[in-house]
Amino acid sequence: MRKNSKLEPSERRRRAVIVTMLILLTSGVGAVEAISDHSDHLRSVDFARGGSLLFLALVIALRATTNFRFGRSDPALDDELTASNRASAATWGFWAVMTTLACALLVNLRWPLSVAETVPILIATGAVSAGIRFVFLERQGI
Amino acid sequence: MAAGLGVRLKDIRTQAGLTQAELAERVGVSRKTINTVENGVFVPSTILALKLAEVLNTRVEDLFFLEQDR
């Protein structure tokens, strides 16, 4: 059995993406609820929730679809397999956003949706689907 | 007629007495990449194929071949 201290860096990254996705989902639900409850007048706490959602979505989208990182990157970790997985994750994220947008437009015909309600859903859907795809592909190599 | 990529990397790596992690380190990729190439999940680039052949002291054609669907 492998100990946590001997986890491969790529495995640690995969787990980090999963944890970020869970936080993102929780924040997304919270943000949508907050905006839905106070869609007529947004409070500062709603902006804070929406901001945290945007930040987490940005983090997960960058981690899953680009080789962006704050520190120095390890060339062995950012090899061609990871680049291929990122490209696939980005494609999934894009089509998830497009599909959600099309659904939102259809729903809007019957029940009018505000931009404030729709944007968090679009962001969360795109980022989470890209993250799920990336984690799934990375898991194939274990 | 569709052709898939056949892989003999695992056999040749084992004959060379290398683990996946050791080969990955010598080639400069992650162990996952070696694993996915060996399992046929990931088709490597020409550069990586050439690097693998160089490290294993063999030819690319010995590592990879075309599998014809019948």
Side-chain angles (χ1 to χ4, degrees):
Chain A
M1 187 184 288
R2 282 191 296 184
K3 291 179 181 175
N4 278 344
S5 59
K6 294 197 174 180
L7 274 180
E8 285 185 10
S10 55
E11 176 61 13
R12 279 204 301 272
R13 176 177 54 193
R14 192 178 70 82
R15 291 184 184 188
V17 170
I18 291 173
V19 170
T20 315
M21 277 195 299
L22 290 174
I23 297 170
L24 178 61
L25 273 173
T26 311
S27 305
V29 170
V32 170
E33 277 180 0
I35 290 166
S36 303
D37 291 345
H38 309 280
S39 54
D40 49 339
H41 58 286
L42 293 176
R43 302 169 303 166
S44 50
V45 68
D46 300 330
F47 284 110
R49 283 185 185 178
S52 66
L53 170 71
L54 280 172
F55 177 74
L56 282 166
L58 184 68
V59 168
I60 198 168
L62 285 172
R63 294 289 289 161
T65 60
T66 73
N67 64 352
F68 170 83
R69 55 188 297 141
F70 291 106
R72 222 179 106 227
S73 67
D74 182 352
L77 268 181
D78 292 315
D79 59 2
E80 59 187 69
L81 173 68
T82 307
S84 169
N85 291 348
R86 281 201 203 99
S88 178
T91 307
W92 272 55
F94 172 78
W95 284 112
V97 169
M98 288 297 116
T99 308
T100 310
L101 185 60
C103 292
L105 287 172
L106 287 174
V107 170
N108 189 50
L109 294 175
R110 188 170 176 103
W111 298 285
L113 293 170
S114 69
V115 173
E117 283 173 327
T118 314
V119 168
I121 297 169
L122 287 175
I123 291 169
T125 306
V128 170
S129 55
I132 287 171
R133 179 65 177 163
F134 180 75
V135 167
F136 173 78
L137 290 172
E138 286 280 300
R139 180 146 181 80
Q140 284 186 326
I142 293 174
Chain B
M1 192 186 297
L5 184 69
V7 185
R8 293 194 197 93
L9 178 61
K10 188 175 182 178
D11 296 336
I12 295 174
R13 173 181 62 75
T14 311
Q15 282 170 17
L18 292 172
T19 64
Q20 286 185 343
E22 287 167 345
L23 179 59
E25 193 179 344
R26 291 191 192 187
V27 177
V29 296
S30 66
R31 186 196 59 76
K32 278 184 178 180
T33 301
I34 301 297
N35 192 33
T36 50
V37 171
E38 283 187 356
N39 294 329
V41 173
F42 178 63
V43 177
S45 68
T46 311
I47 292 173
L48 179 55
L50 287 166
K51 281 183 183 174
L52 288 167
E54 186 182 27
V55 168
L56 292 168
N57 199 23
T58 185
R59 298 181 310 159
V60 175
E61 300 95 302
D62 294 332
L63 290 173
F64 305 102
F65 58 95
L66 286 177
E67 262 178 352
Q68 301 292 338
D69 285 348
R70 289 171 191 170

